[in-house]
Amino acid sequence: MSYADEGSIRLMRHAVLGLIMLLGGAELARADMVLLMLDQPGCEWCEVWEDEIGGAYHLTTEGAEAPLQRVNIFRDLPDGLTLDRRVRFTPTFVLLKDGQEVGRLEGYAGEDFFYPMLNRLLVQARAANP
């Protein structure tokens, strides 16, 4: 597959994800903890995250404890959501507990860093509010 074909596939995948967000992204997933992924169309690192982690995240222990909810950075946040500060770039992953921000990961540095950093946030969230 050529580089141009890969780019077209990524654009199409992002368009489909954008449509899903438009149709069903207004409600925050109902769970004790949620991992909110703020992204935007054309975000190269969002696409890398999707390629490396996105398809299997829901199958992981982390995905079971903090289901993923995607939100386009240019759209309104779901109701009842409180962030500590404005999100400035994508991807940004915000760990929410009962709708309140308890931690965030700004950017994506690869799978080898994502899970250990997310696990650190999950441990802190569990310890803060058992």
Side-chain angles (χ1 to χ4, degrees), residues 33-49:
M33 283 198 278
V34 173
L35 183 63
L36 190 68
M37 177 183 180
L38 291 114
D39 64 2
Q40 65 180 310
C43 169
E44 181 179 342
W45 288 107
C46 299
E47 293 167 5
V48 172
W49 182 90

Side-chain angles (χ1 to χ4, degrees), residues 99-118:
Q100 302 286 322
E101 179 175 341
V102 293
R104 73 172 57 191
L105 305 174
E106 295 177 312
Y108 177 66
E111 185 174 4
D112 292 338
F113 294 96
F114 179 78
Y115 281 112
M117 293 167 62
L118 176 57

Side-chain angles (χ1 to χ4, degrees), residues 35-36 38 73 77 82-89 91-96 101-107 114 117-118 120-122 124:
L35 183 63
L36 190 68
L38 291 114
I73 194 171
L77 293 175
T82 304
L83 300 183
D84 290 347
R85 63 188 186 280
R86 184 174 172 217
V87 175
R88 300 202 179 272
F89 57 91
T92 294
F93 301 90
V94 180
L95 183 62
L96 303 166
E101 179 175 341
V102 293
R104 73 172 57 191
L105 305 174
E106 295 177 312
F114 179 78
M117 293 167 62
L118 176 57
R120 186 175 309 142
L121 292 180
L122 290 167
Q124 289 171 352

Side-chain angles (χ1 to χ4, degrees), residues 2-73:
S2 74
Y3 182 75
D5 291 338
E6 287 180 31
S8 297
I9 290 170
R10 284 187 175 143
L11 270 173
M12 186 175 295
R13 182 185 304 149
H14 217 74
V16 169
L17 289 173
L19 182 59
I20 289 168
M21 286 189 297
L22 282 174
L23 296 175
E27 285 288 320
L28 186 63
R30 299 290 173 217
D32 181 32
M33 283 198 278
V34 173
L35 183 63
L36 190 68
M37 177 183 180
L38 291 114
D39 64 2
Q40 65 180 310
C43 169
E44 181 179 342
W45 288 107
C46 299
E47 293 167 5
V48 172
W49 182 90
E50 181 61 37
D51 290 343
E52 293 180 358
I53 292 179
Y57 177 78
H58 70 285
L59 301 172
T60 64
T61 308
E62 296 85 357
E65 186 172 4
L68 184 70
Q69 177 75 34
R70 295 173 192 261
V71 175
N72 184 307
I73 194 171

